[in-house]
Structures are given as C-alpha cells and as structure tokens.
Amino acid sequence: MASFKPTKIPVYPKLGEKVTQDTLYWKNYKAPVQIKEFGAITNIDFSPVTPHNFAVTAFTRIHIYGPSSQEPVKTFTRFKDTAYCGRFRSDGQLLVAGCEDSVVRLFDVSGKVALRMFRGHTKAVHVTDFTSDRYQILTGSDDYTCRLWDIPNATDLNVYQEHTDYIRCGVTSKLNRDLFITGSYDHTLKVFDARVDKSVMTMDHGQPVESLLLYPSEGLLVSAGGRYVKVWDLLKGGQPLVSLRNHHKTVTCLALSSNGQRLLSASLDRHVKVYSTTNYKAVHNFDYAASILSLALAPDDQSIVVGMTNSMLSIKHRKSPEESREISGQQRRRPSYRVFVKGKNYIPKQDDYLVSKPVKQYLAKYDKQLKKFNVSKALDCALEKWIRLRNPEVPLAVMKELDRRGTLKNALAGRDEQQLSRLLSFLIGNLVDVRFAPVLVVAAEMILDIYRSILGQSPVIDRQLLRMQELLEREIDYQKELVEVLGMLDTMFASSLPKMEVPCSSVSRSNGLSQGEASTSRPQPQVT
Amino acid sequence: MATDSGISSLQLPCVFSPKSRQYLALCAQDGRLRIWNTDSKTLHQEFVPSAHLSATCTCIAWGPCRTVKEGPQRKKRKSEAVQVEEKADLLAMGTAAGSVLIYSTVKGALHCTLDGGHSGGVNCVQWHPEDSLLYSGSDDTNIAEWDLQTGKTRSKWKADRAAVTSLCVSPDGKLLLSAGQTIKMWDLDTKEVYRKFTGHSTAVTTLCFATTRPPDSNGLYFLSGAAHDRLLSVWQVREDGKDKNSVVSFTLTDEPQHIDLVASNSKEEAVRLAVVCKDGQLHLFEHFLNGPCKKPLSPSCTVQMSDTKESPMPIPLLAAALGANTRTVLLAYGNHLQPVMEKVEINTAERHVCLTRDVQTSLSLSMETTVSKVKTPIVKANCRVLVPGLPGHQAPVKGTSQGSEKRKKDTDTKEMSIAERLGEIDLSTVSIEKGAPKGTASLQTDNFAVLLVQGLESNDASILNKVFQTRKEMVIKKTVARLPLPAVLPLVEELTKRLQGHPFTAVLMVRWLKAVLMHHTSYLASLPDLVTKLGVLYHMIESRVKMFHKLTKLHGKLYLLTTQVATNDSSNTVSDVDHTAKLVYEEESSDEDEASGDEGLPDVDSDVSKTG
C-alpha cells in the first residue's frame, strides 16, 4: 500500500532586502547607549592598549570612557576654549589635543594638568597626532601651517606652509616615523616627509577635505570631503582608485573595521555607510538621529561609537556570543544531535540479523485531516490564525491540493458566517499577490458561486465582499497602467534592438520572481 | 562643519508678570512680542517692534506693579479689573541692537525707547523694585542705570572684562548682582563692588535672590545657573567674607531655561524653586537654606509632559510659576508661537510626574477666542522684510505689498493652523501652474529633484518615501524632468523594488515610472545594455499582469453581486434609505486592510483618501 504523501509546501523566494553576511554582522549590536555631552562631539579616539578606553572630544572637555562604563572614567577640562582632536599615543600613556586658542596640550592619561603646552600656531588647531616613534607630534592649524614638535623640550622642529586653507585632518604613518599626510580645505592632500622640507606628493580631492584614513598596509589612502569618499594608491604615486558617492551631505568621518575588510564613512546626512574594500560597494547602512561628526570603531569591532552635532554620544556594543544565540533559543530545547546519531554509524557485520524499523511519518494537522478525507477540517487547520498570517503559503498549498483532488468546492461549502469571513479576509490579504493569485482566484470564484444565494444576509460578509471588490478594482487599474508601461517598454526595446526579444539573460539575475511564477503557473491546466 | 556656537543665543525670553501671574510675555522666533492672558488662556496683545527682525528681543522683564489709570473703553470691558489696584504694566525689552524698549500693556503700545546706552547687544534688563530705575547689562561689558522719568542713563559703569550676561537686583533694592566672567555684587548707592564670586566656567544665564533678609545676618542667599551647566549653584553672602564657594547646588537634567522661586522670609521657611530646563522638563525643589550642604540636591519632583498619541512625544514645558500653596503650579507649554497655559495640581509626593495633554485640541480651543484683541503691526508699504540669521525662522520671503497685506489679514482674523496654510500654499502653486505662463518664477518649490537625487544617493528610506508619496501629477513630471541623467537608472531600480507592493501604493509608483519613460526616452534608448537594465522590471510587470484577465472576470462577478445586494437592501428597507446609503458609502471609502486584517471587523478599517 502506498503511504500517504504529505502536502508539499512550495518555498517562495522572499521579496525585499536580501540578508547577507554583512547585514547579519553589522546588525549584531545591542541597543545603543546614549550619553549627553556638553557640545558637538568632534572627535573620538580609541586607546591602542587594552582595556581600550576611548577619548571623546566635545566642547571644552575631553572625556575618557571605559569600554563598558557609561560614566567618564577621566575628564580633562583644562582648556580655555573648544578642544579638538584628542588622540592617544600608541602606548596609550599620553593624549594630545588641539584647542581653539591655538595652544596644543599634551596630557598624561593618569594626570590632570597638561605636561607640555606647544605654543606657536596663530589660530585654532584642529589636527594633532603622534608620530610612530612616539617622540614627536604633528599638528595642523587654521593658520594654514602644519608643524612637527619635539615632545621632550616642546619646541617646533619644522613648519610646513604649503596649504592655502585651513588644515582640518591629518594622519601619521604607523610604519615610517617621518611620513605624514594632511588634508586641507584647499581641496588637496599632501604627503610630507620630515627628512625633506616640502611635500613629496600632492593629490587633489576636489572638495574641502574633512577626514583622512590610512590603510594598515599604508599602500592605500582614503580621503573624505564634500559628498565624496576617495581612495588613492600611494604606491602608484597618488593615483585615484575609487570615488564613492553614497551620501547626500558632507562626509565627516572615516573608519576601518578591525580586519580591514570594511570601510565605514559617517556623514552630516545622519547615515553611517559600510563598504566592502574589495569592490567598494555599500553593504550596510546605519541611521542615526542627528548629523554625525565623529565615528570610531573599537578593536575587533567590539563597539561602534558615534558623536553627533546635538551633543549625543551613541555607543553600540557588540552582542556577546551567548546573547546572539539566545534569539534561536527555541530550537535548543530539543534533545541533542548525539541522541539521534547513536548507533547510526554502526555498520552491520556479516552474521548480524538486521531488523529494519519503519520510519514513522509525522504529519501536520491539516495532513492528518486530509488523510482522513476531512476536507473542510483540513482547510480549517490550515487557516489557523498564526499559520495564515505567518506563512500564507500553507493554506495556499492545501487549497491547491484540494483543488487537485477536486474537493475544493466541498471544503469551501457549508460554512457559517465566522468561518466564511475568515476565508474572505485571507483572500483579501493575498489575492493580489502574484505568487498566490492563480489558486486564490479559483477559490474566490467558487465561494461566490456557492454563497451567491445568501448574500445580503450578513453585513460582515457584505462588507468584506465590497472590500474585495474595491481591492480588485484598484489592482485592475494598476495592472492596466502596467500594461501601458509594458507597451512603452516594448517600443523602447524595439527601437534599441534590431528585433525585439524577451530578455531571457536577466532571468537569473531577477530577484526570484520568475522562478516563483514558474512554480505557481504549473497547476494552471488543472485549475481550468 | 557644524559647531555649537549660537545655540545658546536661541533661548527665547519668556516671563510671567509678577504677583498675580496674569500675563505671560513671550518673544517667539519671529521676533514678535506676544502677551498671553493666563486666566482666559488667550492672546492678550501682540506687538511687533519696528526692527523686530534686525534687532531681535533678547530679554524681557516686567516692571513692578503700579497703580494705573484705566482707560474708559477698557473699564467697560473689564469691570473686575477696577478692583485690582496694582497691575503689571510696563515691560522692558532688551534688543540685540543695544536699545531697550519699554512697552506698556495698558496702552498696548510702545511707551518709550531707551537708546544710546550700549554699543553692544543687551543681554539682560532688571527693574528696581521701588524707584523707577532700570538696569541693563550688555555685551559691551557695561551696566547702565536708566532713569525712567527722564528716559536717560543716570549712570553707566564698566562691570566686567567680559560681556555682562545676567543681572539681579536684591529685593530691598540696595544690591545688584552682575555676571560676566565672575559674579559681582554691587552696592547700588556707591556703585562699588561689594563681593565677588567665582565658580562658573561658562556664561551665567540665571541670577536670582533666594532670601529677602538684610545682608548683615549671614542670611542672604542667591542662585546662579550657567549655559551648558546642569547645576544651579546657591551662594551665601557671609558677614566675614568667607564666601568663596557655592554652599548648595541643585542638579538638573539640562541647562536651566526659566526659573521661578518663592523666597523664604525666615529661617523656618523653605525656599521653593521651580526650574524649567532646556529639555522641557520641570524640576521642583524645596530646601531650607541654612549653611552649606555638600551633596548636590536632586529635585523633589520632576514633571514631564507628553501628548496622547500612541507613541507619545514629549511636549516641552516653556515656563512655570509656583502658586500660593505648595501644590499648584502654573505651566506654559507647547511651542513659543502658541503656548498653552494651565494651572496644575501636582502630587509632590511622587518624584516623577508625567502629564499627558492633547496639544492639538487645546490649541484649537484657545484659538477660537483669540479675536480682535490682537494689535496689528503697522507695516509700511516701503518696508523691507529682513530674513534673520536665526535658524528655523520661517519668514515669507516676499518683498511685495501683496505679501504684507496678506499678513495683516492673517493677524486680523483668527490664525490658521499649519495644515490649512500648507493647503493654501499647495492651492496657490497649482493655480500658478495652470494660470500663469511658465516664465514666471515662483519661489515655492515645485519639484523634488534635489531631494530625490539625495535620497537615491544615500538610499535614505525616509527621504524616498516622502518624495514618492506625492500625488500631484505636475510635481512628478517636473521632478523627473529635472532629474540629472546619472540618477535615472537608480530611480528605475528603486521603482522596480516598490512596484511589487500593494496596489494602493504601487499605483503611485507607476506614475513615476511613466514619467521617467516619457521624459528620458532618448537617454534610455541610447543605453547599450537597456534590455538587461530594464529586464527585471519587464519580467516583474509581465508576471503581474498575467492574471489580469481572470481578475477582471472575478471583479465583474463580484460587482454584479454586490450591486444586487445593494439594490436588494435599499428596496427591502425603504424607510431606512439614508441609513443604508450611508453604510455603503462608508464601506467604499474603507480600504487598505492587508493580510493582517482580521475577520473584517469595522473598527480595523482605516480611511485612506482615495485619489484617481
């Protein structure tokens, strides 16, 4: 005797955004911690040594936060005016910061008073950084100059006056102690070598440069300014590689994920975009509440810290492995895999007597009813509320199966007001869906045939029918317009090609609609 | 890059009249002074200084109550006002241009202008409690003492190295506090510094005496609050001069915006303090001022307000005045242009109180009565409207006489809601499109091209939704026509995504798609890989219209049945004709209930306006 075949539930492709590895990775952060600072947050820098504290420069203060604390563990307040660009040295011991009053201050992370004050600039200093040998400081100022300072005796070693506008960003090489790069509002990036007195390379960004980033390998340089993010190849003499335009307002900040595979850019348009560094396509997007001025990633991407113009600091921590697993906790209640595997791998020896046990077939509720030929009940089971809402393809498959057996009419007939209205609301919800329409239209016609005589007796049913009618009216109007568009497209294709042909090559690239349609169109001959 | 400069200058002055708290004077973003009656909750007077946009009002102070002669016409209308002998009348306004305006609420007109005292903007004005003297502190670091009898400065002295940001006259009228870089206490008879207090690193915005006792008994206290500071400090003026640090501090959630204080007259009486912060919360404090207290004090009660929507949004409180007993508080909330005033009983036993108010309805209620009391500004025909540097200012940029006429009319009649105004703007643009020839450039935007390009570039869902929700054919056409060519293909891709949705929303997308195909035919046809680019779209449409035939049939069937039902109903119940008709109409307008629609109960129907 042939065993009962359970109803096959077709799998339809999901519409909408595709879930990629990147979205999973970047969504795996907890709800952000929001901290109110005293003014716009212009810079965030992570300490290179564990516990990876980070310095937040906002208004006249620099706060240092611990990796998990929501209160600053340390505060530097000895600034006469707005502070800028608080950065750690590579050993995490010293912190340097510029100020609106043109004095650069060097702090011991454990102290409170500035260890050194570097005076010499005549205007606000927006850029500060340590060189890789740890004994010198690079600064860039609004007086168009950048300087190198000696830390021990607080004197300037060299002054570079090549830029013709404010210098607002700069980085030092981590590999070579003499190399540094500055970006200015005069649209240029200049690579300087401390061993010679002038710049060794100049690149034109085309917009006032707001932020710079060196790849760890230091072969590539990323610059942000205006709405553009540009990548330059330093080894090829500053050749532009890529120009990205994914923001609609000025890009203010750049960051690189820990493995160097993803580039992040933050902008005044309140977005943070994540790009893949292999093909420079945007792979993810974060939205924030206000314009973003600063962005930093903790080592290993443990947290994303974003500073905004409305003086809010937003810290997102990565979920720990236990927390991210808790989401799929429901499956864990089953017995472990080992229980099922036990003895499975045993290969029967020659004189073993083999007893084969039939595999028990578990049937879904509607299949059990189908097996007993309770067609109405099977349909009822499939139309349970949570099934109907969550996977509408189940009731659909049951309907299709009933139709194949020729008993759909019986299943639909003989229902009271409540059951009928449930059916109708399912129809209304899914009738216009391309994937479901072929089956549902048949069912709808049957319902109308069966219940034609009792129409007008129940206001609920009448209302639903009216709604269905309106829905169909809209859909038909819509499809009419679509047909017109189709005609336009045909003309267009015809004019561009010698002979019109249906573009088959793109089927595989389409988002699965054509496959879905293929599977739904198969039962059509049986239906009619 | 945006910085935080100028944020502090956005603080809008907002003051209750003294003693009776009958009026609330408020200078909103548009530079007009509005005086609201807190009893009837209506607009009492509106005054537009002649230079209200170039020299915005920076501070307001009510003069001390004085007996006033009632005008005859006012007497008739307000018979009860005669019994009140003392009435708040004069209002001093400091402007950013350095002049001080004195406005009389009884006359409803400008009383006089005090000019020539300051070279910088006025930051604060304070009245002397008894004599008719006025003190003003300015950006030019001076304090000026004005004699209101003569309208001239009586004396003027340099008070600080930095701008004078705040002033306060002691209740007995003998001392004056000023705040610049440091807080200084002046003897008003000799104009000499009596004490100095240092403590705040940012500009002091608030100064207020907390006790009324004479200074010789160690019992004089005052309060100070500064910009970007979440503390209110209390200072004690001690006999021995050892008053270097603040004695008590009150913690707040944001910088203080408006404070009200009931001073204590004796040691046994607590000082009651109501502070409205910049984030719109109200904090109530009660404290006995008897010497230093190390820990910062947290509020005894915090009041917030939110609206009644499903996802409540906070309503910012603007000002608060403490009532006679400990529990009543007079609150002003909403926006500065149309604040709502309300006396509230607050259960001070609870630490946090959240009040919910429906601002929409209370606004409309108060609007119905705001008729004919409004003073219309005299706008000369040749006057020029300046657009101030204030962010968020929405002045109509129209230099024509027609514009000023329109404004006059608006203020004469009752004010329109924003929705009505928007509707009017829309109408006017449409009429311009139809009537006037294309050459006339109107200032109103008639296309979303820039916004759409921005949205496509950054893939910002909120921007795109906003653009795609337009239903106006003209706007769609113009937007598409002005779209730069590189943005065309991203737009088509975005439309392809959106075309797969529900017919109600997708219909709008078809219009966009048609407009794109019409306006950019030649560009699209010139693309070498047109077929692959538009292939997805083509397939999508093809698969969707496959069921067209059957669906139309089904619709016909359904239509026949439903019309029969409708006619049956109307013939069966003749007496109830209008009822059934109404029902049918209702049903037709109800729509948009998707898969989640449950059993079709009438309450889940949502009204979405239909357009063809």
Side-chain angles (χ1 to χ4, degrees), chain B residues 17-44:
Chain B
S17 67
K19 298 212 172 141
S20 63
R21 315 279 189 200
Q22 200 191 352
Y23 299 116
L24 173 71
L26 215 155
C27 196
Q29 293 95 329
D30 55 0
R32 299 171 184 210
L33 173 75
R34 290 185 179 80
I35 297 167
W36 298 82
N37 192 330
T38 55
D39 297 331
S40 59
K41 299 176 181 53
T42 53
L43 188 59
H44 180 61

Side-chain angles (χ1 to χ4, degrees), chain A residues 15 36 38 59 210 227 245-248 269 271 273 293 309 385 389 422 425 429 432 434 437-438 441 444-445 448-449 452 455-456 462-467 469-476 478-479 481-486 488-490 492-493 496-497 503 505-507 509 511 513 517 528, chain B residues 1-2 4 228 230 254 454 457-460 463 497 499-500 502-504 506-507 510 513-514 517 521 524-525 530-532 534-535 537-548 550-552 554-555 557-559 561-562 565 587-588 590-591 593-600 602 605 610:
Chain A
L15 301 179
K36 177 107 175 148
F38 282 90
F59 196 45
E210 296 279 1
R227 297 183 298 153
R245 199 178 69 176
N246 287 62
H247 289 280
H248 67 258
D269 66 3
H271 296 292
K273 303 259 174 194
L293 290 181
T309 46
K385 190 173 176 184
L389 295 182
R422 202 199 292 175
S425 75
V432 293
V434 187
V441 166
E445 279 184 341
L448 289 185
D449 287 345
R452 184 167 46 193
L455 284 186
D462 287 355
R463 198 169 301 147
Q464 281 187 318
L465 286 178
L466 273 174
R467 248 169 58 194
Q469 185 211 330
E470 172 151 2
L471 179 75
L472 283 173
E473 202 174 322
R474 290 291 186 90
E475 175 71 15
I476 286 163
Y478 173 56
Q479 293 198 357
E481 300 227 15
L482 281 183
V483 174
E484 282 177 31
V485 172
L486 217 54
M488 288 182 185
L489 284 175
D490 279 346
M492 207 171 273
F493 288 155
S496 70
L497 288 177
S505 60
S506 62
V507 170
R509 223 163 57 73
N511 41 11
L513 260 177
E517 165 220 329
T528 43
Chain B
M1 276 164 65
D4 56 338
H228 302 299
R230 286 178 277 191
D254 209 333
Q454 285 186 349
E457 265 169 12
S458 67
N459 209 359
D460 188 316
I463 292 182
K497 227 185 277 169
L499 276 173
Q500 298 166 3
H502 203 264
F504 291 118
V507 159
V510 179
L513 188 60
K514 274 187 175 173
L517 292 179
T521 324
L524 287 173
L530 172 72
V531 176
T532 46
L534 299 186
L537 178 68
Y538 194 90
H539 268 279
M540 203 277 294
I541 296 177
E542 245 190 355
S543 64
R544 182 122 189 185
V545 300
K546 202 168 256 172
M547 291 301 294
F548 181 63
K550 282 192 171 177
L551 281 175
T552 321
L554 181 63
H555 177 246
K557 218 174 195 177
L558 205 55
Y559 185 71
L561 289 176
T562 45
V565 169
E587 286 153 2
E588 273 181 344
S590 69
D591 52 25
D593 197 21
E594 299 178 16
S596 57
D598 199 35
E599 325 309 26
D605 292 349
K610 293 194 296 177

Side-chain angles (χ1 to χ4, degrees), chain A residues 88-112:
Chain A
F88 284 104
R89 195 163 79 166
S90 58
D91 58 358
Q93 299 284 325
L94 295 182
L95 182 94
V96 68
C99 183
E100 187 75 37
D101 65 2
S102 80
V103 181
V104 179
R105 289 172 175 82
L106 181 76
F107 296 94
D108 187 345
V109 170
S110 55
K112 209 166 175 72

Side-chain angles (χ1 to χ4, degrees), chain A residues 136-210:
Chain A
Q136 289 173 13
I137 287 175
L138 159 75
T139 61
S141 160
D142 283 0
D143 61 8
Y144 310 167
T145 64
C146 55
R147 294 170 190 242
L148 271 181
W149 307 82
D150 188 35
I151 294 179
N153 48 15
T155 50
D156 56 342
L157 299 172
N158 216 339
V159 183
Y160 301 90
Q161 289 180 311
E162 292 198 22
H163 284 294
T164 54
D165 209 335
Y166 298 165
I167 298 168
R168 286 291 166 88
C169 55
V171 281
T172 55
S173 160
K174 296 278 171 288
L175 305 178
N176 185 336
R177 70 190 190 107
D178 293 315
L179 216 59
F180 60 92
I181 306 161
T182 55
S184 157
Y185 275 14
D186 64 3
H187 301 189
T188 58
L189 318 164
K190 285 184 189 282
V191 183
F192 291 94
D193 191 336
R195 291 164 292 196
V196 290
D197 279 345
K198 44 184 199 190
S199 61
V200 293
M201 208 186 285
T202 302
M203 289 154 277
D204 188 12
H205 180 82
Q207 248 87 25
V209 187
E210 296 279 1

Side-chain angles (χ1 to χ4, degrees), chain B residues 267-459:
Chain B
K267 231 172 198 157
E268 287 72 45
E269 201 179 335
V271 169
R272 283 162 54 213
L273 179 67
V275 187
V276 176
C277 291
K278 207 172 175 184
D279 59 355
Q281 298 188 23
L282 166 69
H283 302 287
L284 298 173
F285 296 93
E286 210 158 317
H287 182 64
F288 292 97
L289 287 174
N290 45 6
C293 175
K294 268 196 183 150
K295 270 191 180 168
L297 298 168
S298 45
S300 64
C301 181
T302 298
V303 182
Q304 274 179 295
M305 194 167 272
S306 74
D307 57 12
T308 53
K309 286 178 197 139
E310 288 155 32
S311 54
M313 293 287 288
I315 304 172
L317 294 170
L318 303 177
L322 292 164
N325 73 14
T326 50
R327 301 179 61 171
T328 52
V329 178
L330 179 60
L331 294 177
Y333 56 89
N335 67 358
H336 282 84
L337 295 169
Q338 195 126 47
V340 184
M341 281 136 295
E342 188 182 345
K343 252 197 186 100
V344 184
E345 288 266 323
I346 287 171
N347 181 11
T348 42
E350 295 199 20
R351 288 186 71 85
H352 282 271
V353 179
C354 187
L355 308 167
T356 52
R357 293 288 180 272
D358 192 355
V359 182
Q360 218 61 42
T361 56
S362 47
L363 266 184
S364 56
L365 272 179
S366 65
M367 258 188 305
E368 279 172 13
T369 47
T370 59
V371 201
S372 78
K373 279 184 188 171
V374 183
K375 292 279 168 187
T376 57
I378 301 149
V379 183
K380 285 174 194 150
N382 60 350
C383 83
R384 204 156 53 96
V385 179
L386 298 171
V387 181
L390 287 174
H393 187 97
Q394 302 283 323
V397 194
K398 276 180 186 169
T400 57
S401 57
Q402 182 209 351
S404 60
E405 262 177 38
K406 198 180 165 195
R407 206 168 69 196
K408 243 197 249 176
K409 200 183 77 193
D410 280 1
T411 44
D412 273 339
T413 57
K414 64 175 182 176
E415 300 213 355
M416 287 190 289
S417 73
I418 292 291
E420 283 171 334
R421 283 185 200 178
L422 283 176
E424 197 140 279
I425 288 170
D426 283 353
L427 282 179
S428 62
T429 49
V430 168
S431 61
I432 284 170
E433 306 297 356
K434 281 179 185 163
K438 283 243 164 102
T440 55
S442 71
L443 280 168
Q444 267 106 6
T445 54
D446 52 359
N447 70 79
F448 288 129
V450 177
L451 200 62
L452 180 60
V453 171
Q454 285 186 349
L456 288 172
E457 265 169 12
S458 67
N459 209 359

